Structure formats: structure tokens, C-alpha cells
Amino acid sequence: MTTLVHTRDDLASVLDEAAGEIAVVMTMGALHEGHRQLMRVARERSAFVVVTIFVNPLQFGPGEDYEKYPRTLDEDLAACRAEGVPVVFAPSRDDVYPHGAPSITMQPGPLGDILEGASRPGHFSGMLTVVEKLLLLTRAGVAYFGEKDYQQLALIRRMARDLELPVEIRGVPTVREPDGLALSSRNRYLSADQRRSALALSRALREGATHTDPESVLATAHKILAGEPEVRVDYLALTGADLAAAPVEGPARLLVAARVGTTRLIDNVPLTLRKGA
Ligand code: AMP
């Protein structure tokens, strides 16, 4: 049975009855297989799972899609039921921010200034602020986040470490469509033609990651993206697995952000660099 609660008081009452460690999967709704994979991993490893559904106004910039972001609570609830999630917390804006916009917020530090942070000022501060609040409200001992939002995952890990939050952060690999497109709630904005163009992102990353020297990785990915005129690249970056400068060899990450029409998409893959390869 899945219990839906909308207020922090009702959530507290339900959590008072929970036995064992609480796991949380935080989402903005419009749930898809990527979210469901997080729920499955959480359910396999933790006794009690809470899914949060909240479109957080603090992490949207002016001109971004806060107003039009898909809100599909009935379908989302059905997905949570199908995954056997015991509790869904879908609070209102006023319940999360009862005193209005918070005057004290999380600051992501230098890792928040690059990549997504450079394109979306304030996004990571808003994201970290709500994640910290939801970790406390859900009393989570473990929290699951997707590698799809790789920089977000890295920042949340850093916040937990730097601020001694009593929570374990676990990453879950990106779930893709059979043709490679990373699942995203924003994919529903794409027309059929735009969706075809958007495949260049995952193709560029996949082909780039077949190489092991940085120049070939980036040149291969660039070429594929340049061949798709509908795709306007925001960044293509090769970094270390921790998002610091790319190593000469060892684990690395290839990341892309691009606009297809008015829809902004992100994706990333792991790869291994080898010296002299
Ligand atoms: P969102 O609802 O987009 O804020 O995402 C909620 C959580 O689901 C985040 O931890 C995301 O990284 C994760 N997520 C979104 N899409 C995917 C995907 N395709 N594969 C794995 N995790 C995902």
C-alpha cells in the first residue's frame, strides 16, 4: 500500500511508525523509468522508502520552465504504487517554504560555478537548499540520486561530507531509451523531429567514450554534435570522475548540455583515459 501525504505534519506522523532505516528518492514528478529505477534500487536495499515529488521553485531561473514543468500526480502515484513505495510526500510550495523564500540557503562553492552552474546561476543553490530540507523532513539515512544529473550528485555528496549530514548518498546509473536517449521528464517537450536530433547527444558521448586519449574523445563527440544543426551545444566537457580537470589517465566523465528547440537537455557517460593510447 502506498500512502500519499501532502504536509510535513502528516509525513512526520507516518515516519513515526516507520521501522528501520529510511531511504529517500527525491523527484520533481513526471516520473519515468529512470525514477522508477531509483525506487527499485532503494526498495531492494532499504526497509522503508519515501519518494518526494516537488517542483522546487528555488532551483529554476527566470525564463526557465518552472510554470510549464509537467505535473502529473495521478500517474506518478500509480508508478510509485507499482514499485511498492510505502510513502509519497508531495508537499505544496508553502509546506516546504512556510516562511517564504529562505534567507539562509546552501552555497555550492566552486564546483557549483562550472558546467551547469555557469549556465544556470542559482540553480545549484536552490537544489541543495531543498535537498537539505527534504533530507531532514524525511529523516533519511540513505538517499538515491541519478548519475543523469552528475554534477548535482557530486554536489550533494560534497554537501553531505562538508556539513556532516548523517546520510549516505548513493548514485544510480542513467537509464536510457533503447536508442540511447537518456530518460528525462523534459523529453516530453520534444517533437518527433527534435527527438531524432536529440539522439546526437547520447551518440556523441557513446562514440567519444570509445576513445582513450582526450583529444580523440572530444573531437569525435564534437563532430557528431556539429553534424546535427538543430542541436545548439551549451558545453561539451571532459573532466575527472570528480568533475575536476581531466586526468591524463584513469576514470573520467564526458558531459554535454545542449538546446534542441527550446528544450535544454543534459547527458554524461563514464570513460577511462589511457596515457599514450
Ligand atoms: P528529477 O525529477 O528530474 O529532478 O530527477 C529526480 C531524480 O531522478 C534525480 O536524482 C535524477 O538524477 C534522477 N533521474 C532522472 N532521470 C534519470 C535517468 N534517466 N536515469 C537515472 N536517474 C534519473
Side-chain angles (χ1 to χ4, degrees):
M1 201 195 74
T2 300
T3 305
L4 170 66
V5 291
H6 289 293
T7 68
R8 58 172 69 204
D9 290 346
D10 287 348
L11 177 65
S13 305
V14 173
L15 296 180
D16 285 344
E17 306 299 317
E21 184 178 66
I22 297 170
V24 67
V25 174
M26 296 181 193
T27 80
M28 299 203 298
L31 301 182
H32 51 62
E33 269 301 310
H35 300 113
R36 290 180 68 150
Q37 178 66 9
L38 264 59
M39 294 178 208
R40 285 193 283 268
V41 175
R43 288 250 304 132
E44 271 164 28
R45 303 221 219 142
S46 299
F48 194 91
V49 177
V50 179
V51 170
T52 68
I53 299 177
F54 180 60
V55 185
N56 174 36
L58 236 54
Q59 70 189 68
F60 287 77
E64 291 190 352
D65 55 347
Y66 175 69
E67 299 298 339
K68 79 161 185 176
Y69 198 86
R71 289 159 172 88
T72 59
L73 187 58
D74 290 345
E75 287 102 312
D76 292 350
L77 206 50
C80 293
R81 271 199 200 102
E83 297 300 341
V85 168
V87 177
V88 174
F89 178 46
S92 69
R93 182 178 179 148
D94 286 349
D95 211 80
V96 176
Y97 301 111
H99 314 291
S103 65
I104 294 180
T105 56
M106 288 291 165
Q107 295 312 316
L111 182 55
D113 292 337
I114 59 171
L115 304 169
E116 286 302 283
S119 300
R120 305 183 67 190
H123 167 68
F124 284 132
S125 171
M127 179 279 291
L128 290 174
T129 301
V130 84
V131 167
E132 191 270 352
K133 285 169 75 78
L134 291 173
L135 285 173
L136 294 186
L137 289 171
T138 60
R139 306 177 194 168
V142 49
Y144 293 86
F145 295 91
E147 291 185 357
K148 159 75 169 38
D149 299 280
Y150 195 74
Q151 192 176 7
Q152 165 174 292
L153 172 61
L155 281 164
I156 293 168
R157 281 193 206 283
R158 187 69 69 89
M159 173 174 76
R161 188 194 76 180
D162 287 357
L163 299 182
E164 312 291 351
L165 301 184
V167 64
E168 185 188 339
I169 305 299
R170 293 189 187 148
V172 177
T174 301
V175 178
R176 299 176 180 280
E177 302 275 12
D179 60 10
L181 186 69
L183 291 180
S184 163
S185 303
R186 292 189 167 100
N187 290 350
R188 67 183 69 197
Y189 300 151
L190 301 171
S191 69
D193 278 350
Q194 289 173 336
R195 192 192 175 289
R196 258 192 301 280
S197 301
L199 280 177
L201 273 71
S202 53
R203 203 167 61 242
L205 298 182
R206 197 172 56 239
E207 294 294 319
T210 61
H211 295 268
T212 54
D213 68 294
E215 292 75 25
S216 307
V217 169
L218 285 168
T220 303
H222 262 305
K223 194 168 168 205
I224 291 170
L225 292 165
E228 202 55 68
E230 298 306 313
V231 173
R232 296 192 312 287
V233 176
D234 191 348
Y235 60 78
L236 173 70
L238 179 60
T239 70
D242 57 358
L243 292 176
V248 181
E249 61 182 337
R253 208 85 193 177
L254 185 59
L255 308 100
V256 68
R259 244 170 245 284
V260 182
T262 55
T263 306
R264 192 165 179 285
L265 300 172
I266 57 172
D267 198 355
N268 69 88
V269 293
L271 71 160
T272 305
L273 299 174
R274 280 187 236 294
K275 223 182 341 208

